[in-house]
Amino acid sequence: MTNKKDDTTLEKIVSLCKRRGFVYPSSEIYGGLAAIYDYGHYGTLLKNNIRDSWWKSMVQMRDDVVGLDSAIFMHPKTWVASGHVGGFNDPQIDCKKCKNRFRADHLLKEYGIDADKATLEEINNHLDKLREQGKLKCPNCGSTNLTKAKIFSLMVKSNIGSPTEEFTEENVVYLRPETCGGIYLEYKNTVDSLHKKLPFGIAQVGKAFRNEIVARQFIFRTREFEQMEMQYFLQPSMMKEKYKMWKELRWQWYLDNGIPKDKIKWHQHEKLAHYATEAYDILYGFKSLGGFDEIEGIHARGNWDLSQHAKFSGVELNYTDDGGEKFIPHILETSAGLNRMLLMFLDFAYAEEDVNGETRVVMKFPKALAPIKIAVFPLLRNKPELVKKAKEVYDKLKLDYICEFDDNGNIGKRYRRQDEIGTPFCVTVDFDSLEKSDVTVRDRDTMEQVRIKISDLENFFKDKFSA
Ligand code: GAP
């Protein structure tokens, strides 16, 4: 077995995801819905495992962080207070010839111009200059016939109430663009009901919605996605120390989940929001996207969020410390995209190997995250005694692990399928098993096979999965 030259492309990952049931384009039988995806059996299991690993490190293992599951719909004033209504926009530019739509700031980046946080006027000035020089071209068709940039709101609107009511500005509600909004609104209830003392955090995992202008990188940037966010409430004097602590903890989470340190790096934001004092992103080096891109942000947000919600709601969101001093807590946020992380693990795990002149595609997920832990096969599906024994082994193992019973096709095809799903171990029951009560266990990564007594399987896998 030799590793083939690494030419992992996004197309290969997208194709494997559909072929093996990780991710499907949503509403496909109706022609699809742009930038929305469904997760199949293995995609759901993998996503849940990533989420659970995050939850374990952020909530289960910590005494200072509690969980929350807040509603997607919130009072519309929430998003006025947070600055999203009116302010959560991207600059959009259209090609009049091919009708493609682009983010103007991303287009300017291709000309070496950093327009992150630039005003619309500044963006249009840059575009006009390029236009005058005859340089401004559509990245898709090369046409010079591009519109001026205009502002495009990322907020997704809905309406609730009586079904006969019109969809008006009065009854509009928004699908939350980030999950942290719900955390800010439940800060007071959390303090009142759980009597948490600063510093403490509230974590939640949930859906967020953004009307992204361009969403072309599979599940990297979609219009419906999941975030895993934690807001840590603290005294301002603690920010420096706790920011360092959370940066270290979040970095370590990636290493603990099998991502090597040369595959991730820090990006420090130079231009900060007016209320922020520090912002770093963790970037991952995608083979399939051709470079490093953001997975998670760690932000020191001052007391802006709670101050705004106190102002707009008229409810005091102060904290009174043991000395009787009242103040609005400052917030440190860790914010990661679950779907983007899933793409990171797919990208990292994807490998092609040459095995006796044939290409083996194998997803080398860290064992703890693999969607299926153990597959169990009878050597032949038409031998009832083998099927019966294999079912017995399967029924026992599935009490402790997510397992799969597979008797489709020949053994070679089953190995190939399980390799593409990323199953760390395959157990085969053959004729010797009937006499000697043992089975063959094949390791996904080395492809080595060992004979193990059925009675020893429990300890064998306990060792393997705890390692
Ligand atoms: N509360 C802060 C916040 O939402 P963000 O940088 O806009 O910050 C945090 O988003 C993370 O959410 C990103 O690092 C990314 O992983 C994920 N994310 C943001 N927009 C996304 C999208 N359209 N599709 C998938 N993931 C997205």
Side-chain angles (χ1 to χ4, degrees), residues 27 77 92 106 161 179 206 219 237 257 259 269 289 305 342 347 349-350 384 390 394 403 414 443 455:
S27 320
K77 265 195 193 172
Q92 169 194 324
H106 287 179
T179 54
I219 53 171
S237 60
N257 281 278
I259 303 292
H269 286 235
L289 301 180
D305 303 283
L342 188 133
D347 178 279
Y350 187 94
Y394 167 70
C403 296
R414 293 179 207 159
D443 182 298
S455 56

Side-chain angles (χ1 to χ4, degrees), residues 84 88 177-181 184 210 212 215 219-229 231 269 281-282 294-297 299 301 333 335-341:
H84 283 82
F88 194 43
E178 52 183 15
T179 54
C180 57
Y184 303 139
R210 294 183 190 178
E212 298 281 358
I219 53 171
F220 182 83
R221 191 183 305 282
T222 52
R223 297 193 169 121
E224 175 176 342
F225 56 99
E226 280 171 86
Q227 287 187 313
M228 304 190 290
E229 297 201 298
Q231 309 292 310
H269 286 235
D281 292 336
I282 294 179
E294 175 191 336
I295 302 290
E296 168 161 6
H299 312 128
R301 299 179 60 90
E333 164 183 77
S335 172
L338 177 52
N339 316 72
R340 213 174 262 191
M341 251 185 204

Side-chain angles (χ1 to χ4, degrees), residues 271-311:
K271 293 176 191 160
L272 296 173
H274 65 88
Y275 49 81
T277 50
E278 223 163 349
Y280 276 83
D281 292 336
I282 294 179
L283 314 186
Y284 166 77
F286 284 93
K287 297 179 278 183
S288 57
L289 301 180
F292 280 84
D293 224 322
E294 175 191 336
I295 302 290
E296 168 161 6
I298 297 158
H299 312 128
R301 299 179 60 90
N303 66 2
W304 193 78
D305 303 283
L306 289 185
S307 304
Q308 284 294 101
H309 289 303
K311 186 167 135 198

